[in-house]
Amino acid sequence: MRTRTASLRDYDALCALFDELDEFHRQRRPELFQPFDGPARTREQVARWLSEAGSTIVVAETEEGVVGLAVLLTRSPSPFAGAVPRKVIELDNLVVRTDRRGQKIGRRLLAACIEWVRDRKASHLEVAVHSFNVDARRFYERFGFQPSIDRLMLAA
């Protein structure tokens, strides 16, 4: 297994992984996530992530092809004068194909993401995890991620 930056040639494999991730979220939070027509992510969106300097998609690839992905996006600095200036990159999505989980692919993907973040001299890598996804939270905490903020929601 190796990790590398995705290319548009990976588009169909990326969409299959995004489909798995989207279905996982729909099943656990149907009040927030719904099915939609069209591809899991548009070709234009993927091309933008791959072409902009502050974003990328890292993939895990085996002899079977792409089995995992991670999307990294540079966040705009906080406009608040009281906030310490930081360069933050957000891990927007990380997914490993269901039948390949438990094989340390996610760990290798995340390690490649951390390397990408450090190469860009970012001060922090952040990830948001839905409260229902305890396995993901444990995964990130094992890597040293620590809670930063809890977002609460009230249906009005």
Side-chain angles (χ1 to χ4, degrees):
M1 201 241 26
R2 71 179 184 119
T3 59
R4 63 173 173 80
T5 301
S7 76
L8 273 180
R9 289 186 310 276
D10 299 313
Y11 178 72
D12 291 336
L14 297 174
C15 281
L17 287 163
F18 283 125
D19 277 336
E20 280 194 39
L21 181 65
D22 294 344
E23 182 59 25
F24 176 76
H25 287 100
R26 280 191 294 270
Q27 286 179 7
R28 277 138 190 97
R29 293 301 300 266
E31 76 281 12
L32 296 179
F33 299 99
Q34 65 183 2
F36 55 91
D37 292 330
R41 303 298 181 274
T42 66
R43 185 174 288 278
E44 294 75 24
Q45 179 63 68
V46 170
R48 204 168 28 256
W49 285 333
L50 294 173
S51 65
E52 292 176 353
S55 62
T56 197
I57 302 172
V58 178
V59 295
E61 183 176 51
T62 68
E63 63 286 342
E64 302 171 49
V66 174
V67 296
L69 70 80
V71 177
L72 295 162
L73 308 171
T74 300
R75 217 168 48 206
S76 299
S78 173
F80 175 52
V84 173
R86 303 181 307 142
K87 181 175 181 181
V88 177
I89 296 179
E90 184 159 353
L91 177 55
D92 188 57
N93 291 290
L94 188 149
V95 61
V96 173
R97 207 171 72 193
T98 305
D99 65 332
R100 295 304 303 262
R101 293 189 184 145
Q103 299 174 14
K104 300 193 179 188
I105 293 169
R107 294 177 59 79
R108 302 246 331 250
L109 259 177
L110 186 52
C113 290
I114 292 168
E115 183 179 330
W116 190 87
V117 167
R118 288 180 176 151
D119 287 347
R120 275 133 196 93
K121 305 206 180 339
S123 59
H124 294 86
L125 173 61
E126 294 183 358
V127 62
V129 180
H130 286 280
S131 58
F132 64 79
N133 200 346
V134 268
D135 290 339
R137 184 175 180 126
R138 256 190 306 248
F139 169 77
Y140 293 118
E141 287 175 343
R142 281 194 303 264
F143 254 85
F145 285 78
Q146 297 177 6
S148 171
I149 187 170
D150 288 325
R151 183 180 304 269
L152 305 177
M153 183 174 69
L154 172 69

